[in-house]
Amino acid sequence: EVQLVETGGGLIQPGGSLRLSCAASGFTVSSNYMSWVRQAPGKGLEWVSVIYSGGSTYYADSVKGRFTISRDNSKNTLYLQMNSLRAEDTAVYYCARVGAVAGTGFDYWGQGTLVTVSS
Amino acid sequence: SYELTQPPSVSVSPGQTASITCSGDKLGDKYACWYQQKPGQSPVLVIYQDSKRPSGIPERFSGSNSGNTATLTISGTQAMDEADYYCQAWDSSADNYVFGTGTKVTVL
């Protein structure tokens, strides 16, 4: 059974850093495309970042230069390092597996972890 | 940057058909996916590659995509279908994934 479990969220002051983790089971993270998607309170879904199986990474303009996506193959875990956090980064952060075949979408999602940026 | 626009809300009577549109420049040249999100839950993929249903998704969910508009249709809508729905596409020019603005479906 495929499962994604995010951890690492919490309350952080503006300008601070936080690292989110997403532990996967039932499939191999390094063989798949993996992504982070966030949802601010009461708002819609916003794509944040993706890491392809080959290692290429891409980011939304809103987080480029501040966030870094990575993975640990030995732990089968995806990460999101978030630096220089702003109030507008407050959101539930979901990790999701992305289908490698074009148009197959985000087929598995974690339960999400809440990040609150506030002083 | 690429944008996908959806109507904020759609209302439908039980047993009737709900149609949710998603508009974007030349969206028909891309693949569209659709997600259902109920309050307090993670999104669930209900349509991929414009019109295909993942395993376990009821047949009453269908999709189409042409021109500048993708459409999610829920036939014989049930109370359990009340949720927020998001379309999504991939912007190849920027290697970015894009979500629509979201539509709240209310079953009256």
Side-chain angles (χ1 to χ4, degrees):
Chain A
E1 180 191 6
V2 171
Q3 195 170 11
L4 296 167
V5 179
E6 302 98 332
T7 55
L11 175 64
I12 186 75
Q13 291 189 341
S17 297
L18 207 58
R19 189 179 80 159
L20 306 182
S21 300
C22 171
S25 57
F27 72 100
T28 302
V29 165
S30 61
S31 300
N32 285 269
Y33 294 5
M34 297 295 298
S35 193
W36 289 96
V37 177
R38 69 183 181 183
Q39 186 170 36
K43 303 297 184 182
L45 301 174
E46 180 189 14
W47 174 76
V48 172
S49 181
V50 66
I51 183 167
Y52 291 149
S53 51
S56 297
T57 58
Y58 298 90
Y59 301 90
D61 288 345
S62 58
V63 306
K64 199 173 296 182
R66 299 188 299 124
F67 289 11
T68 302
I69 190 172
S70 64
R71 65 193 181 205
D72 184 327
N73 298 343
S74 66
K75 295 182 178 179
N76 209 34
T77 298
L78 178 73
Y79 300 102
L80 186 67
Q81 177 68 43
M82 304 185 296
N83 299 331
S84 303
L85 283 162
R86 307 166 180 167
E88 54 264 36
D89 295 318
T90 293
V92 173
Y93 285 74
Y94 297 99
C95 71
R97 191 178 78 170
V98 188
V101 175
T104 47
F106 298 73
D107 57 358
Y108 289 97
W109 296 66
Q111 84 288 350
T113 187
L114 177 62
V115 173
T116 303
V117 184
S118 175
S119 55
Chain B
S1 61
Y2 194 76
E3 296 182 351
L4 295 173
T5 302
Q6 302 176 232
S9 62
V10 167
S11 296
V12 60
S13 299
Q16 299 304 302
T17 297
S19 294
I20 306 164
T21 58
C22 173
S23 298
D25 185 49
K26 297 180 181 178
L27 180 56
D29 292 343
K30 309 177 189 296
Y31 278 123
C33 299
W34 290 90
Y35 302 85
Q36 176 194 68
Q37 186 181 34
K38 296 181 179 180
Q41 298 184 18
S42 302
V44 173
L45 178 68
V46 294
I47 292 290
Y48 68 97
Q49 288 183 342
D50 298 336
S51 60
K52 296 179 180 178
R53 283 178 291 103
S55 174
I57 300 303
E59 291 184 6
R60 62 180 181 273
F61 289 89
S62 62
S64 63
N65 185 17
S66 179
N68 294 322
T69 304
T71 302
L72 173 69
T73 302
I74 311 173
S75 304
T77 306
Q78 300 182 10
M80 68 173 64
D81 300 330
E82 191 164 279
D84 294 326
Y85 291 84
Y86 296 90
C87 59
Q88 176 260 313
W90 180 59
D91 178 12
S92 58
S93 66
D95 247 309
N96 279 9
Y97 294 83
V98 181
F99 285 94
T101 50
T103 299
K104 181 177 182 59
V105 171
T106 301
V107 182
L108 299 171

